[in-house]
Amino acid sequence: MTSFRSPNAIRADFSSAMSIMYREEVPAYGQLMTMVAEVNANVLRSDAAIALNMTPEEDTSRISEERHGAIRLGTEAELAMMARVFAVMGMFPVGYYDLSVASVPVHSTAFRPIERSDLAENPFRVFTSLLRLELIEDEDLRRTAQTTLERRQIFSDSAIALTEKAEQQGGLSPEDAQSFVTEILETFRWNIDACVSAETFAALIASHRLTADVVSFKGPHINHLTPRTLDIDAAQSEMVALGLPAKAVVEGPPTRKCPILLRQTAFKALDESIRFPDQKGGWVKGQHTARFGEIEQRGAALTPKGRALYDQLLAETRAKILPDANGDNAQEYEATLRKTFEAFPDDWRALYDQGLAYFKISVNPEIEVPASLDVSDLLDAGVFLLSPIIYEDFLPVSAAGIFQSNLGDDARDNLQAQSSKEQFERALGGSVADEFALYDAMQDAALQHSLATLQTSGSGQ
Ligand code: OOG
Ligand code: NI
């Protein structure tokens, strides 16, 4: 019997191949990678690392290879096939994001590994959006967009054949896995040749920049690849020092002792030369801004209660002050954010006790086990240790415009979100996982395992 290359290994191979390709396409990404690696090494060497309560090995070893990417697909068939491709790499759709509330005509999911051990091996994720053609108002333009998209094939014949082979055999041999990675990489590659005329491109841009980005090209080029840093404030300063045109403020929660959710910052899209086919079989030159650089810091995954508190405090902040795009009020915004978030406990034990964040509880082998098997007593005694479960998902809407939607009729917004989610899942050919349920199951499994460890060790009797 031949042995297969594991989905985790294929995912790691793919993430690495993507990183090499993107570094060639966008040199500033290479600068980011080097800078983030240095920042992370500094944090890991300092006391700051201890305060993060990371699970040794599991949470620390994955960081240097950790990144996410983002793509935007044009048709339901593309999404369905992409889901099959990602499944070969052990990546499954988690969460539903309706970006129409932020005036962006797409809805999305995150393809990522789900099991704790798979995340530990390589947590590579791809934020994957599907264009919602029905949100293009102009009927002619909508029809043009639709026929343009229906004409393209974003997967090579070999990519499709290898995906089918993986499904039939239940895996891929090392040789096939290598070909698979090479073939799939082509789908994500940047191509300067637009497949619409300059006029159609201009009309699409006028409809929405993102629509133009999806419809005008032969494939869903990767639009950014984001390394994870352990200290985004240090990384942000370094970005400025490197002369990269960084955003003025970091999106998400403020700087905290106990990081939560996700903090992100980016530098602006590159202005790239492209070319459009003309009617005489030649080309006309053009420009497009699609791709950008981004870095992120990941903290504890929040429970629904924690997430509600986060959303409330962010909305409170934004009701007081909105960050200017030019960065003029960046310091004032950050001060207000920090002040408002004083209502969010910044202590691991408090976050656990109040049910605001998810944790992996483990047993400290150095402490003698007391008679009680009460979780709170065990935490007090230092027998149980708290390590936050890392947030593996995204916050694209809260950053961009959930606030706009708050101005509208909530009930109607909910209805709309519901029906679009069903439409998305129909296209996907399956349902998206509920991220809260995944975190909850992970927390429970760790707790049960730790309790069982104490009981079998016998010293608790
Ligand atoms: C994806 C935006 C979402 C993130 O980090 O929140 C994302 C896109 O612009 O296509 O990558
Ligand atoms: Ni991103």
Side-chain angles (χ1 to χ4, degrees), residues 149-382:
L149 287 169
E150 274 165 5
R151 235 181 287 136
R152 75 179 188 181
Q153 172 51 272
I154 64 170
F155 299 98
S156 71
D157 291 345
S158 312
I160 295 169
L162 284 163
T163 304
E164 284 168 354
K165 190 171 180 184
E167 288 168 347
Q168 278 153 16
Q169 298 181 152
L172 289 176
S173 70
E175 296 73 33
D176 280 345
Q178 204 175 351
S179 310
F180 173 82
V181 166
T182 308
E183 290 294 329
I184 297 302
L185 200 61
E186 289 310 305
T187 300
F188 293 79
R189 195 183 287 284
W190 174 249
N191 192 319
I192 66 161
D193 296 343
C195 55
V196 297
S197 69
E199 293 69 37
T200 303
F201 184 74
L204 289 165
I205 288 276
S207 166
H208 199 291
R209 299 195 70 82
L210 216 111
T211 308
D213 185 54
V214 177
V215 176
S216 310
F217 298 92
K218 290 178 182 146
H221 41 257
I222 178 98
N223 67 60
H224 64 280
L225 208 52
T226 301
R228 174 174 163 209
T229 177
L230 290 172
D231 183 347
I232 201 162
D233 298 302
Q236 169 88 344
S237 311
E238 289 295 319
M239 261 167 81
V240 175
L242 286 170
L244 298 170
K247 263 176 89 290
V249 302
V250 173
E251 298 287 352
T255 308
R256 295 162 46 89
K257 286 206 310 288
C258 302
I260 51 169
L261 292 176
L262 182 61
R263 301 182 71 211
Q264 296 182 314
T265 180
F267 62 84
K268 299 194 183 71
L270 309 170
D271 207 4
E272 292 175 286
S273 300
I274 55 169
R275 46 185 212 169
F276 304 104
D278 66 17
Q279 274 162 6
K280 293 171 254 140
W283 295 95
V284 263
K285 286 202 161 109
Q287 296 290 322
H288 182 48
T289 50
R291 299 185 299 166
F292 57 100
E294 183 184 59
I295 48 177
E296 66 187 7
Q297 178 176 340
R298 290 183 173 269
L302 298 185
T303 62
K305 183 182 168 196
R307 180 57 194 266
L309 181 58
Y310 169 79
D311 286 340
Q312 180 203 322
L313 296 177
L314 194 60
E316 267 175 40
T317 308
R318 299 228 169 196
K320 291 192 189 117
I321 178 170
L322 285 171
D324 283 340
N326 63 14
D328 279 354
N329 64 357
Q331 279 188 332
E332 202 189 331
Y333 174 77
E334 270 159 25
T336 310
L337 184 69
R338 205 184 282 237
K339 183 99 196 100
T340 312
F341 269 80
E342 280 171 7
F344 208 117
D346 195 8
D347 171 84
W348 294 127
R349 180 66 191 271
L351 290 167
Y352 178 76
D353 285 347
Q354 294 180 37
L356 294 167
Y358 292 108
F359 290 87
K360 294 171 278 185
I361 281 183
S362 63
V363 178
N364 182 349
E366 285 160 23
I367 305 280
E368 206 175 308
V369 180
S372 159
L373 280 182
D374 175 77
V375 175
S376 199
D377 291 345
L378 290 163
L379 285 167
D380 288 344

Side-chain angles (χ1 to χ4, degrees), residues 94-99 106-110 127 391 393-397:
V94 179
Y96 172 75
Y97 304 86
D98 178 11
L99 276 87
V106 300
H107 46 181
S108 321
T109 190
F127 191 87
Y391 186 61
D393 297 290
F394 292 86
L395 298 171
V397 178

Side-chain angles (χ1 to χ4, degrees), residues 132-144:
R132 290 174 68 186
L133 277 174
E134 74 274 17
L135 298 182
I136 301 180
E137 271 172 32
D138 184 285
E139 218 173 290
D140 286 345
L141 189 63
R142 196 187 319 135
R143 217 168 301 117
T144 306

Side-chain angles (χ1 to χ4, degrees), residues 376-412:
S376 199
D377 291 345
L378 290 163
L379 285 167
D380 288 344
V383 176
F384 271 2
L385 303 173
L386 284 178
S387 177
I389 292 178
I390 300 301
Y391 186 61
E392 305 288 349
D393 297 290
F394 292 86
L395 298 171
V397 178
S398 61
I402 198 157
F403 311 99
Q404 297 162 16
S405 79
N406 285 344
L407 301 174
D409 177 348
D410 272 345
R412 197 188 54 216

Side-chain angles (χ1 to χ4, degrees), residues 32-73:
L32 273 193
M33 293 259 295
T34 312
M35 180 270 280
V36 165
E38 275 168 29
V39 168
N40 290 351
N42 284 340
V43 173
L44 287 173
R45 253 186 260 117
S46 75
D47 288 349
I50 298 167
L52 294 176
N53 279 20
M54 290 183 287
T55 308
E57 292 308 310
E58 178 176 337
D59 285 337
T60 48
S61 60
R62 67 182 227 181
I63 284 165
S64 61
E65 280 302 310
E66 181 161 350
R67 60 185 71 96
H68 84 252
I71 53 166
R72 302 155 186 164
L73 301 170

